[in-house]
Amino acid sequence: MTTPSNTVPDSLLDAHTIAPAEIPPTRLLYWSIRRELWESRSIYLAPLPLAGLFLVGFLISMFHLPKNMRAAAVLDPLQQREFIAQPYNFVALLIMGTTFLVAIFYCLDALHGERRDRSILFWKSLPVSDLITVLSKASIPIVVLPLLTFTITVVTQWIMLLISTAVLLAHGMTVAPLWTNLPLFQMSLGLFFHLLAIHGLWYAPIFGWLLLVSAWARRAVFLWAALPLVAIGAVEKMAFNTSYVAAMLMNRVSGGAPAGTPPGTSPMDSMAHFSLGHFLASPGLWIGLALTAAFLAAAVRIRRYQGPI
């Protein structure tokens, strides 16, 4: 006579143990990124209201559009193009600046926040490695936010163009100067390149450094991220009376060096002044990517041994 047993068969235990390991890393990364988007809604909630607010102001300015187009007609072609494209370039810069700030504050809180609210205990219980977790967080400012910025900006610009077209037609004016001086397809290509090359790859070491500090610091993450850089620059200035560190940081933050564009050039026009080969051959790009890999590797190791605050 056999007695009932509460033990689970070994085959079921083995299946339960092996199953999580069989999940492809790409799928784990995909769902980790989706988790970040679900948890950090400011990623898309910050630029969307800003774009809507700008459209409200743009609608109000439509009362002066016919007069402005008549004034633009007497300008030379270059000035006319700059005059007509000015609000479209401005909205792109405004949204890009907003998403850059969102990326900075996201990175500062990405790994520190999960320790502060003790959710790190829950996330570490899942079959997701520290490497995939850090990579998913790094992909938000490097990949997701540039693509989101591009989408919001292009949609906003097309809405602006359609509104302007409707206003001009309602006043019996031709729309040819408007459409001729606004090659939105070329502008969108330039914007797409600028976002992926500068906001993604060129700014990557900035985001990697912020994620590393976020994984290590127990409090005052922003101060710990900024003070070492300020201290190094101050020591260099006092000891050698040079400002190489400050110039390097300004060059990285401004994003001007890799693009090779003339001062004052719009990001949407950067494709006309820059070759992909020149950008890929830039030593600053590869040095920055190497630093990014080192920062992220250190963040992975620190997170592996960090507990809740």
Side-chain angles (χ1 to χ4, degrees), residues 98-110:
T98 302
T99 52
F100 181 59
L101 291 177
V102 169
I104 290 176
F105 285 103
Y106 168 83
C107 291
L108 288 172
D109 189 65

Side-chain angles (χ1 to χ4, degrees), residues 172-197:
M173 299 178 62
T174 178
V175 298
L178 179 65
W179 284 78
T180 303
N181 290 283
L182 279 175
L184 282 188
F185 182 72
Q186 289 181 325
M187 293 169 64
S188 299
L189 283 179
L191 176 66
F192 184 75
F193 162 79
H194 177 85
L195 288 170
L196 289 185

Side-chain angles (χ1 to χ4, degrees), residues 60-96:
I60 297 174
S61 71
M62 288 297 98
F63 290 104
H64 307 287
L65 181 62
K67 181 183 69 174
N68 292 337
M69 292 301 295
R70 294 188 189 98
V74 300
L75 301 175
D76 63 75
L78 181 59
Q79 291 178 330
Q80 188 178 30
R81 184 180 185 276
E82 292 178 352
F83 180 80
I84 294 176
Q86 183 178 6
Y88 297 83
N89 293 334
F90 180 74
V91 71
L93 293 173
L94 190 65
I95 295 175
M96 281 192 295

Side-chain angles (χ1 to χ4, degrees), residues 17-308:
T17 303
I18 296 174
E22 294 176 349
I23 301 176
T26 53
R27 186 177 179 185
L28 290 175
L29 180 62
Y30 169 76
W31 283 105
S32 297
I33 294 175
R34 290 196 62 175
R35 185 200 87 193
E36 293 300 320
L37 294 174
W38 176 71
E39 284 192 325
S40 306
R41 299 185 180 181
S42 61
I43 292 172
Y44 50 87
L45 288 182
L48 281 175
L50 183 67
L53 184 63
F54 183 87
L55 284 176
V56 172
F58 185 76
L59 280 171
I60 297 174
S61 71
M62 288 297 98
F63 290 104
H64 307 287
L65 181 62
K67 181 183 69 174
N68 292 337
M69 292 301 295
R70 294 188 189 98
V74 300
L75 301 175
D76 63 75
L78 181 59
Q79 291 178 330
Q80 188 178 30
R81 184 180 185 276
E82 292 178 352
F83 180 80
I84 294 176
Q86 183 178 6
Y88 297 83
N89 293 334
F90 180 74
V91 71
L93 293 173
L94 190 65
I95 295 175
M96 281 192 295
T98 302
T99 52
F100 181 59
L101 291 177
V102 169
I104 290 176
F105 285 103
Y106 168 83
C107 291
L108 288 172
D109 189 65
L111 295 169
H112 180 264
E114 65 179 13
R115 290 185 293 136
R116 186 181 60 248
D117 60 21
R118 297 179 176 267
S119 61
I120 190 173
L121 299 175
F122 171 73
W123 298 123
K124 283 195 172 186
S125 68
L126 300 180
V128 181
S129 66
D130 296 293
L131 174 62
I132 290 179
T133 300
V134 173
L135 288 180
S136 67
K137 294 180 182 298
S139 65
I140 296 298
I142 296 175
V143 179
V144 174
L145 271 173
L147 294 177
L148 182 65
T149 304
F150 173 76
T151 303
I152 295 175
T153 303
V154 170
V155 170
T156 304
Q157 289 177 337
W158 274 101
I159 293 175
M160 292 165 60
L161 179 59
L162 294 177
I163 292 174
S164 300
T165 301
V167 171
L168 291 177
L169 291 176
H171 284 79
M173 299 178 62
T174 178
V175 298
L178 179 65
W179 284 78
T180 303
N181 290 283
L182 279 175
L184 282 188
F185 182 72
Q186 289 181 325
M187 293 169 64
S188 299
L189 283 179
L191 176 66
F192 184 75
F193 162 79
H194 177 85
L195 288 170
L196 289 185
I198 307 304
H199 287 246
L201 297 178
W202 189 254
Y203 286 165
I206 299 176
F207 303 137
W209 167 253
L210 296 178
L211 286 171
L212 171 60
V213 177
S214 178
W216 172 79
R218 295 185 61 86
R219 58 182 61 86
V221 185
F222 180 80
L223 290 178
W224 281 113
L227 285 180
L229 304 178
V230 174
I232 293 174
V235 170
E236 179 203 1
K237 183 66 177 177
M238 290 186 294
F240 307 104
N241 196 28
T242 58
S243 303
Y244 294 117
V245 173
M248 179 188 66
L249 293 176
M250 287 301 299
N251 180 55
R252 181 65 58 174
V253 172
S254 66
T261 57
T265 301
S266 165
M268 282 64 70
D269 297 327
S270 60
M271 285 286 287
H273 302 276
F274 175 78
S275 68
L276 182 61
H278 181 269
F279 176 71
L280 294 178
S282 170
L285 169 67
W286 297 105
I287 293 174
L289 292 179
L291 287 174
T292 304
F295 291 152
L296 294 181
V300 170
R301 184 171 182 83
I302 290 175
R303 185 184 187 273
R304 186 172 299 153
Y305 301 103
Q306 288 283 41

